[in-house]
């Protein structure tokens, strides 16, 4: 079942928001940016490897078979043109891509996803019609991210 805007989890890594498509897949281009945008780490290089293509095929076959562990119809999609262009991948592919980039980035991605999934990072939006509430929410989010990033740096 696809994620909707109401169920999508906002993921931010090193001050880079990782966009999601309408099926809840995550933008690999945003992850590349969060990892430092090194040329050697571009998503298209990762996507061209045989092991990556095999992993995508395995995930796609699970989705085609109606596997309940596969909540989306296809694990990977490329959007060409428009404001949301990029390569979008399911969570398993995000983890594999992060692991391909580096062990430290892999851990950062896993820990960030886990923090969001377990509610350690808030994904609720503040009432933007009230400037005081919005400012407090921004300050709390900023401080929380600083603490979380510091913990990741200390544990990495």
């Amino acid at each position: 079942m696809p994620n909707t805007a109401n169920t999508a989890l906002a993921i931010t890594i090193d001050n880079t928001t990782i966009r999601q498509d309408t099926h809840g897949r995550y933008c690999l281009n945003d992850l590349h940016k969060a990892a430092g945008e090194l040329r050697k780490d571009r998503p298209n290089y990762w996507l061209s490897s045989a092991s990556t293509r095999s992993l995508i095929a395995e995930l796609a076959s699970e989705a085609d078979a109606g596997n309940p562990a596969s909540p989306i119809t296809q694990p990977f999609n490329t959007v060409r043109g428009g404001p949301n262009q990029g390569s979008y991948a399911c969570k398993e592919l995000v983890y594999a891509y992060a692991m391909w980039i580096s062990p430290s980035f892999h851990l950062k991605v896993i820990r960030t996803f886990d923090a969001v999934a377990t509610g350690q990072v808030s994904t609720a939006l503040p009432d933007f019609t009230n400037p005081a509430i919005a400012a407090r929410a921004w300050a709390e989010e900023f401080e929380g991210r600083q603490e979380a990033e510091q913990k990741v740096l200390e544990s990495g």
Side-chain angles (χ1 to χ4, degrees), residues 104-131:
S104 62
F105 187 65
H106 187 214
L107 286 174
K108 188 179 291 188
V109 167
I110 290 171
R111 289 175 178 154
T112 300
F113 272 67
D114 284 350
V116 171
T118 59
Q120 294 174 10
V121 176
S122 173
T123 60
L125 294 176
D127 178 5
F128 288 112
T129 61
N130 183 326

Side-chain angles (χ1 to χ4, degrees), residues 141-152:
E141 177 69 16
F142 181 80
E143 291 166 351
R145 284 211 174 113
Q146 281 185 318
E147 287 178 23
E149 287 176 5
Q150 186 61 37
K151 285 180 185 175
V152 168

Side-chain angles (χ1 to χ4, degrees), residues 52-98:
T52 299
R53 289 192 308 270
S54 294
L55 180 58
I56 291 171
E58 181 66 26
L59 289 165
S61 70
E62 286 182 0
D64 290 343
N67 185 336
S70 181
I72 59 174
T73 47
Q74 290 301 315
F76 179 80
N77 185 47
T78 298
V79 176
R80 301 189 194 294
N84 295 318
Q85 68 182 347
S87 298
Y88 291 84
C90 67
K91 183 175 69 170
E92 293 88 346
L93 291 175
V94 167
Y95 288 167
Y97 175 61

